[in-house]
Amino acid sequence: MTEKYNKIKKIYEGKAKKLYTIKGKPDLLLQEFKDDATAFNAQKRGKILNKGIINCELTTFIFDYLSKRGIKTHFVKQISPNEMIIKRLKIVPIEVVVRNIAAGSLLKKTRFKEGHKLAKPIVEFYYKDDALGDPMISDSHAIAMKIATESDLKALRQMAEKINIILKPFFLKRRLRLVDFKLEFGKDKGGKGRIMLGDEITPDTCRLWDAKTNRKLDKDRFRFDLGGVNEAYAEVRKRITGGK
Ligand code: UDP
């Protein structure tokens, strides 16, 4: 029998997703993916055709793939083209960015040119705070602000590195280069449980380049008005899920 999930209350609406509580299931939430796109701290706004459906489908596929390889995630199941059930987590307010190839904000912090293959992947922490513009922080900032413990940070770094090791060949088999990506983590059981992967993994949160031509197939097409935004998302979907 298929279970029914009745939305009760919207508890969060962000740039790309909404979260709802579910009747009778306090440990779960319903995550709805939207077509809205924003960039540069929401100064630029728009819509990407079918993005909600594509990102829900891709996150379902990738989180399922990761969990089969030992990564704990919040994903429970997809219930409609753009909705999934997730475990309710207390989010650690740190965005973990992993980089394999120089691009984006790294070009402003180093002398690397776009496309430079990094000798070793870089892992960075950013403090999730829109008013501050999500500044980059070190371990000691996080500990001083009491947003994570030393062992939380160790777990974040280890999980991010392991996810990168799993996803690099995953994307390459699908003719996509995983340039960089952002992860978010949280703890279940009201923040008392174990750290697990939350949020999404999509062309909104990853830089993906065609393995042969290096054509950008991610949100940079929207950020920098490169054109072919809808087509890029559709292409990534085709290469990963076959468009189902
Ligand atoms: N990213 C994200 N959300 C953010 C910031 C970054 O998903 O709020 C992703 C971004 O899509 C890219 C990676 O994290 O894949 C690294 O982003 P970067 O630091 O280069 O910043 P950006 O150039 O996006 O400002």
Side-chain angles (χ1 to χ4, degrees):
M1 204 184 82
T2 50
E3 239 178 313
K4 264 220 107 357
Y5 294 95
N6 294 317
K7 293 179 196 172
I8 311 181
K9 191 175 157 235
K10 186 166 81 182
I11 54 162
Y12 169 83
E13 177 154 7
K15 296 152 200 160
K17 297 186 292 294
K18 295 180 199 173
L19 290 176
Y20 296 88
T21 53
I22 309 166
K23 196 169 164 215
K25 306 212 180 288
D27 299 334
L28 301 179
L29 292 174
L30 189 154
Q31 175 163 262
E32 182 187 317
F33 290 75
K34 308 195 291 182
D35 289 349
D36 302 305
T38 65
F40 310 118
N41 213 351
Q43 286 171 54
K44 181 179 168 76
R45 288 168 186 277
K47 269 189 197 294
I48 298 174
L49 183 72
N50 287 334
K51 179 166 85 74
I53 292 174
I54 294 172
N55 283 357
C56 185
E57 194 175 293
L58 291 174
T59 298
T60 296
F61 193 89
I62 294 169
F63 276 46
D64 183 51
Y65 188 88
L66 289 173
S67 67
K68 285 182 179 140
R69 283 154 186 83
I71 302 290
K72 290 246 173 304
T73 85
H74 72 164
F75 176 72
V76 178
K77 65 164 150 175
Q78 188 178 359
I79 56 158
S80 85
N82 72 332
E83 294 172 313
M84 60 170 63
I85 303 300
I86 57 171
K87 287 188 185 133
R88 186 172 193 153
L89 303 184
K90 185 159 189 274
I91 291 291
V92 178
I94 293 177
E95 295 189 342
V96 182
V97 168
V98 182
R99 303 178 182 276
N100 296 305
I101 295 171
S105 70
L106 185 66
L107 307 179
K108 295 181 201 140
K109 294 183 186 111
T110 64
R111 295 191 178 277
F112 292 133
K113 295 273 180 292
E114 185 179 69
H116 175 86
K117 284 201 179 88
L118 301 170
K120 187 174 183 272
I122 294 176
V123 179
E124 298 168 341
F125 294 147
Y126 291 85
Y127 178 34
K128 253 171 84 76
D129 186 313
D130 283 340
L132 295 176
D134 297 346
M136 186 158 96
I137 56 168
S138 70
D139 290 41
S140 40
H141 291 92
I143 291 163
M145 289 191 285
K146 297 189 175 161
I147 56 175
T149 64
E150 214 147 342
S151 85
D152 289 340
L153 296 170
K154 195 173 158 203
L156 295 188
R157 193 172 277 112
Q158 275 179 355
M159 286 178 78
E161 282 168 354
K162 185 165 175 200
I163 291 165
N164 188 40
I165 286 169
I166 297 170
L167 289 186
K168 261 200 292 186
F170 167 90
F171 282 112
L172 209 52
K173 249 184 252 155
R174 290 151 177 94
R175 294 174 288 125
L176 294 166
R177 220 182 282 290
L178 180 58
V179 172
D180 57 34
F181 58 102
K182 184 261 303 182
L183 302 170
E184 294 189 29
F185 296 88
K187 294 179 188 172
D188 63 351
K189 300 186 175 121
K192 294 189 166 64
R194 284 185 51 187
I195 291 207
M196 56 185 85
L197 179 66
D199 197 46
E200 62 177 297
I201 297 183
T202 65
D204 276 9
T205 62
C206 301
R207 284 196 170 91
L208 299 168
W209 295 354
D210 180 89
K212 225 186 205 159
T213 64
N214 282 337
R215 182 180 168 83
K216 295 182 165 90
L217 293 171
D218 55 58
K219 205 167 104 175
D220 273 352
R221 302 209 75 81
F222 169 79
R223 287 189 187 102
F224 302 111
D225 298 316
L226 301 178
V229 184
N230 300 341
E231 293 77 7
Y233 278 69
E235 181 62 26
V236 172
R237 176 194 208 179
K238 195 166 102 193
R239 292 193 195 181
I240 293 178
T241 62
K244 276 207 291 208

